Amino acid sequence: MTGRRDSSSDRSIDRRQFLQRLSWTASSLAATGLLGQRAFATAQPKRIVIVGAGLAGLAAGLELDRAGVEVVIVEAQGRPGGRIQTLRDDFADGFFAEAGGDLIGGSYRTLMGFVHELGLSVVPLAGRGPRSDVLVVLGDQRFRLSELRRDPSLWPLELTDAERRVAPFGLLGLYVTPLAREIGDPARVLDDAMARYDAMSLHDLLVERGASPAAIRMIEIPLNYNSTRTVSALSVIRDTARRLNETATYVIAGGNDRLPQAMAERLRQQVRYRTSVRRIEQHAGGVRLAVEQHSRSSELEGDAVIVTLPFTALRDVEMPGLPEARANIIRELPYTQISKTFIQTRSRFWRDEMGASAIWTDSPFERTFDISKSFEGPRGLLVGWVNGTGVEALENASEAEISARTIDHLRRSFPEHADTFEGAHTVHWGRTYARGAYAHFAPGQLRAMAPLIAQPIGRIHFAGEHTELVAPGMEGALVSGLRAAQELLKPGAPT
């Protein structure tokens, strides 16, 4: 992959092949018990409103359109993709970066089917490689991870011998992966034997399994949740089990936003952008949505609605008549807070001089990764991740201020390369329309919420990564969209 646009996405595909791919995907999901009986032959055309043009909404729209159903998709933003967002206008030399969903697992079978039939392609993520190193910055001390692995006594932290061998990035896996392997199938987190792990926080689990205080503090830094104390241990075990069999990681050639763009192109006339939903209500004959577009209010009618919004955004939509248990789920489901800062540089000193692909720190700026390996030329591109509790320290700073602080931190950490940092762009996911990066469960929530979270409420159906128990990330969003569409196509569906 280079900064040049890949022309493969411009190829047209045979409509019959595309429909066959959708049919195969839904059939395979039905075989696993995810979708239930297909009913295209007996379903009557209906008008379905879909809220959200992310991957879940687009997948549902394509599946319904394939069955001859009239579809209207309303999207508050001016683009498709939701939390799939590729930044293209902020960097020189044709560089681009993924602000949201960035990694595609090799097991993402449904996603790969869409990619193939839409004429797109994937390329392996340019990994660190066997000779790549990590720079570890602790206070004013700088180490190479390879040095710390050769001589673990150099660690200036009170870690156990086992922890020193895997720190910093492998600490969480050291304590959670064995439990994930015991479970195997992520769906087994709903077994009664797993209840004790849902009742405790990740922090409690780490203490129970013998993690040192220093290791727990280090785990907080790369943690993909808000805090070890606020996430269910079972939620983390589930997510770890989801990734156990991933042996390869990919990205879409030319940028991940090419997938939702190609899907939306197939539904071009059915997608209404910059249209916000204010109210969703059911009545005897269908559903009615109060929407706003360009400050003008209007109503949309349909036989049913599929809601794909993150619950953080859905909280602003009036939905009278919801059962209290479901309203509580919408109000209380946590979303991980992430701030990502992309820094363009004149050189790639971390690679050329230090052989490193990442920087791990105990500072408020947490982790920085090299994402320039796929681009040609001397310039470099870094992304700084700040997750969870680390984001709290940035709450009073604007995105521009976060960018400036990040560059200042890197210049102080690498004064000999201060002039190489050219500029930065920050995406704070808590301040976007989604108000968070992705859902997870707080202690006690997974087993109570997961069986309900995707269930239809009359004519209101739900999709999105947060509704999928087994499949993760982008794959989960697509699977959930197909599942919601199939709920509406089954005989006897309340439409």
Side-chain angles (χ1 to χ4, degrees):
M1 177 173 62
T2 69
R4 297 184 179 88
R5 185 173 178 84
D6 185 339
S7 62
S8 64
S9 67
D10 296 327
R11 296 179 308 206
S12 61
I13 65 171
D14 182 82
R15 174 68 173 167
R16 180 178 57 83
Q17 292 178 336
F18 182 62
L19 297 183
Q20 285 176 343
R21 209 263 342 138
L22 285 177
S23 178
W24 169 84
T25 299
S27 297
S28 65
L29 291 170
T32 63
L34 287 172
L35 297 181
Q37 180 182 356
R38 288 177 56 80
F40 291 141
T42 59
Q44 298 298 312
K46 307 173 179 69
R47 188 174 199 249
I48 305 300
V49 181
I50 299 173
V51 182
L55 292 184
L58 294 169
L62 288 169
E63 186 79 337
L64 292 167
D65 182 69
R66 174 250 192 275
V69 177
E70 181 185 356
V71 173
V72 178
I73 302 177
V74 292
E75 168 56 51
Q77 301 182 95
R79 59 172 180 82
R83 284 165 283 173
I84 307 299
Q85 182 182 9
T86 306
L87 304 177
R88 303 181 186 279
D89 300 329
D90 301 285
F91 313 112
D93 294 347
F95 280 39
F96 56 85
E98 304 299 338
D102 52 359
L103 302 180
I104 298 169
S107 66
Y108 286 17
R109 190 176 179 186
T110 305
L111 187 149
M112 293 296 189
F114 274 106
V115 165
H116 176 72
E117 297 298 340
L118 288 167
L120 304 174
S121 60
V122 298
V123 294
L125 181 68
R128 293 183 298 183
R131 297 181 181 178
S132 186
D133 213 334
V134 176
L135 300 178
V136 179
V137 182
L138 300 169
D140 58 357
Q141 295 180 286
R142 188 195 302 174
F143 305 88
R144 291 189 182 188
L145 184 58
S146 58
E147 297 170 341
L148 296 171
R149 293 281 167 83
R150 283 194 299 268
D151 185 359
S153 67
L154 293 175
W155 275 103
L157 300 171
E158 295 185 8
L159 302 170
T160 68
D161 290 342
E163 291 168 347
R164 290 171 190 263
R165 287 194 291 270
V166 299
F169 293 115
L171 286 170
L172 180 62
L174 176 66
Y175 293 107
V176 175
T177 298
L179 293 173
R181 293 193 186 283
E182 287 181 22
I183 292 174
D185 180 359
R188 289 193 57 213
V189 297
L190 296 181
D191 292 353
D192 290 342
M194 298 295 107
R196 67 180 296 268
Y197 296 117
D198 193 28
M200 66 172 64
S201 69
L202 174 60
H203 182 274
D204 294 338
L205 177 68
L206 292 171
V207 171
E208 179 180 275
R209 296 184 69 81
S212 69
I216 295 174
R217 288 193 298 271
M218 292 184 76
I219 287 170
E220 288 281 4
I221 292 173
L223 188 69
N224 290 323
Y225 311 94
N226 288 328
S227 165
T228 60
R229 295 182 182 275
T230 61
V231 63
S232 159
L234 189 60
S235 186
V236 180
I237 294 168
R238 185 276 304 260
D239 292 345
T240 304
R242 284 169 155 182
R243 299 188 297 268
L244 280 179
N245 297 321
E246 292 294 355
T247 57
T249 308
Y250 301 88
V251 293
I252 294 175
N256 287 346
D257 64 348
R258 288 183 142 195
L259 175 58
Q261 287 173 359
M263 296 172 75
E265 181 65 21
R266 296 277 162 179
L267 296 161
R268 182 172 12 180
Q269 303 304 318
Q270 291 108 304
V271 184
R272 303 182 186 182
Y273 294 106
R274 302 196 184 283
T275 303
S276 300
V277 177
R278 303 303 184 194
R279 181 182 175 91
I280 301 172
E281 58 182 334
Q282 304 187 63
H283 54 80
V287 295
R288 181 180 300 111
L289 286 73
V291 301
E292 186 174 299
Q293 184 180 40
H294 305 304
S295 300
R296 293 184 179 181
S297 298
S298 61
E299 291 187 344
L300 274 177
E301 295 278 352
D303 297 295
V305 61
I306 298 175
V307 179
T308 73
L309 299 184
F311 284 172
T312 39
L314 188 57
R315 290 164 194 165
D316 288 339
V317 179
E318 294 182 50
M319 298 178 69
L322 282 187
E324 187 60 24
R326 302 299 296 278
N328 284 339
I329 293 174
I330 293 170
R331 283 194 298 264
E332 297 174 5
L333 185 69
Y335 278 69
T336 298
Q337 296 303 305
I338 293 177
S339 174
K340 294 172 74 173
T341 299
F342 302 90
I343 309 103
Q344 191 152 41
T345 62
R346 292 186 177 89
S347 70
R348 307 182 190 187
F349 69 87
W350 58 89
R351 182 200 66 185
D352 297 337
E353 298 180 21
M354 306 170 188
S357 64
I359 305 167
W360 187 97
T361 82
D362 61 356
S363 78
F365 298 94
E366 300 188 349
R367 300 169 291 163
T368 304
F369 299 96
D370 179 12
I371 55 173
S372 53
K373 304 180 191 70
S374 299
F375 298 95
E376 299 174 352
R379 276 192 167 93
L381 188 61
L382 298 167
V383 58
W385 286 71
V386 181
N387 284 15
T389 54
V391 175
E392 296 174 4
L394 305 174
E395 280 307 302
N396 295 323
S398 67
E399 280 84 348
E401 289 170 332
I402 296 171
S403 294
R405 290 183 189 179
T406 303
I407 289 181
D408 182 63
H409 164 71
L410 289 169
R411 284 173 174 162
R412 284 186 282 108
S413 298
F414 303 96
E416 68 275 31
H417 297 286
D419 293 340
T420 198
F421 300 102
E422 295 183 292
H425 178 85
T426 295
V427 176
H428 187 314
W429 278 98
R431 297 174 189 169
T432 66
Y433 178 75
R435 299 182 194 167
Y438 42 78
H440 61 268
F441 294 96
Q445 286 186 340
L446 191 154
R447 289 171 52 78
M449 291 184 176
L452 296 176
I453 202 167
Q455 287 187 8
I457 302 173
R459 298 173 185 269
I460 302 175
H461 297 248
F462 296 89
E465 56 87 17
H466 53 289
T467 68
E468 171 56 28
L469 179 66
V470 175
M474 290 183 269
E475 177 76 357
L478 293 168
V479 168
S480 75
L482 295 175
R483 182 258 308 151
Q486 284 297 309
E487 290 170 353
L488 290 163
L489 295 171
K490 288 190 296 187
T495 58

